[in-house]
């Protein structure tokens, strides 16, 4: 049995932090897991910037409300889910992702949680588990699934490499150059074709 494991941001929806960077006028918040492989370091840095500017969950959610999935993402997910099991594995947070999941037709999402103070300040975050994407892929494999994984960032490489088939989707030139053995595609039709070839 197969299960397809997909990253969310940069693959199915725009990068939330980049959108919020543009909306808030804070260019430092454009930094993502494409730029910083250490997720904890990245998130601690982001929380510090939010505190410094007096911004909280509401401001980010207001930005997210205006974000739509990438063109073709919902149709891709609909077709994929008609032929195999699929799950989104993301380092985002449930408080961010829910409006986007609605726009994608409520696919299964496994992600993290924010710790939010009564005044809306984001004070911390809780990871679902360590090495969330790789741990989840290994857990699926331990109960009899073969995994196929696709993503665009540093934090996707472990799950991609641990799967029977792994694909870089709309990744950076640097990541593609460092991983020349992995297929790298830019269009949903090509991603779906490679997935089908490996089912």
């Amino acid at each position: 049995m197969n299960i397809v494991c997909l990253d969310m941001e940069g693959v199915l929806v725009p990068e939330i932090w980049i959108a919020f960077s543009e909306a808030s006028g804070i260019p430092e918040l454009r930094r993502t897991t494409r730029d910083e492989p250490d997720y904890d370091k990245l998130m601690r840095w982001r929380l510090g910037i939010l505190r410094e500017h007096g911004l909280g969950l509401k401001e980010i959610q207001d930005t997210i409300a205006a974000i739509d999935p990438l063109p073709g993402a919902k149709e891709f997910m609909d077709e994929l889910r008609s032929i195999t099991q699929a799950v989104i594995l993301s380092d985002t947070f449930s408080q961010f992702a829910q409006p986007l999941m609605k726009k994608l037709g409520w696919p299964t999402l496994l992600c993290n949680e924010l710790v939010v103070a009564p005044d809306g300040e984001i004070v911390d975050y809780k990871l679902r588990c360590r090495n969330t994407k790789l741990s989840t892929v290994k857990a699926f494999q331990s109960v009899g699934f073969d995994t196929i994984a696709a993503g665009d960032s540093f934090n996707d490489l472990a799950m991609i490499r641990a799967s029977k088939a792994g694909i870089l989707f709309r990744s950076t030139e640097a990541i593609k150059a460092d991983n020349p053995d992995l297929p790298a595609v830019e269009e949903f039709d090509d991603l779906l074709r490679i997935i089908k070839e490996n089912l």
Side-chain angles (χ1 to χ4, degrees):
M1 293 183 66
N2 295 288
I3 189 164
V4 177
C5 301
L6 300 167
D7 178 36
M8 184 180 85
E9 293 180 68
V11 173
L12 299 170
V13 304
E15 293 279 354
I16 290 169
W17 287 98
I18 290 176
F20 186 61
S21 167
E22 291 168 0
S24 64
I26 304 170
E28 297 92 334
L29 288 175
R30 289 186 63 83
R31 193 165 178 77
T32 71
T33 52
R34 286 176 166 219
D35 311 299
E36 174 53 67
D38 185 329
Y39 188 72
D40 186 63
K41 180 179 175 184
L42 178 63
M43 274 306 300
R44 298 284 164 212
W45 182 76
R46 286 170 170 167
L47 295 182
I49 291 174
L50 293 178
R51 261 192 307 277
E52 182 184 320
H53 290 271
L55 298 169
L57 181 60
K58 181 188 182 305
E59 289 79 11
I60 299 174
Q61 286 178 327
D62 288 347
T63 297
I64 293 168
I67 295 175
D68 287 320
L70 294 170
K74 183 176 186 307
E75 295 77 10
F76 163 77
M77 285 300 297
D78 289 346
E79 184 168 353
L80 179 63
R81 291 163 67 201
S82 76
I83 58 173
T84 191
Q85 299 295 313
V87 63
I88 299 170
L89 303 182
S90 177
D91 283 334
T92 194
F93 306 96
S94 58
Q95 295 95 330
F96 288 2
Q98 191 150 358
L100 298 167
M101 293 304 98
K102 182 177 182 181
K103 292 177 182 180
L104 284 169
W106 297 111
T108 300
L109 167 71
L110 302 178
C111 65
N112 301 311
E113 293 280 329
L114 292 169
V115 179
V116 184
D119 66 357
E121 180 188 355
I122 302 171
V123 294
D124 202 357
Y125 67 95
K126 292 182 182 175
L127 296 181
R128 189 170 42 80
C129 60
R130 291 192 61 73
N131 301 313
T132 55
K133 296 180 184 187
L134 177 60
S135 297
T136 304
V137 160
K138 287 186 172 182
F140 283 139
Q141 292 166 349
S142 76
V143 292
F145 285 100
D146 286 323
T147 58
I148 299 168
D152 68 327
S153 297
F154 285 111
N155 65 338
D156 300 314
L157 289 171
M159 76 167 178
I160 287 171
R161 293 223 168 262
S163 295
K164 76 168 183 178
I167 308 121
L168 292 172
F169 185 69
R170 298 184 179 173
S171 191
T172 66
E173 292 306 316
I175 291 173
K176 288 188 281 190
D178 286 345
N179 298 274
D181 58 312
L182 295 175
V185 296
E186 302 295 317
E187 301 300 329
F188 285 114
D189 287 348
D190 293 323
L191 180 57
L192 191 63
R193 173 183 52 78
I194 295 173
I195 290 170
K196 286 179 175 178
E197 287 169 357
N198 286 280
L199 289 176

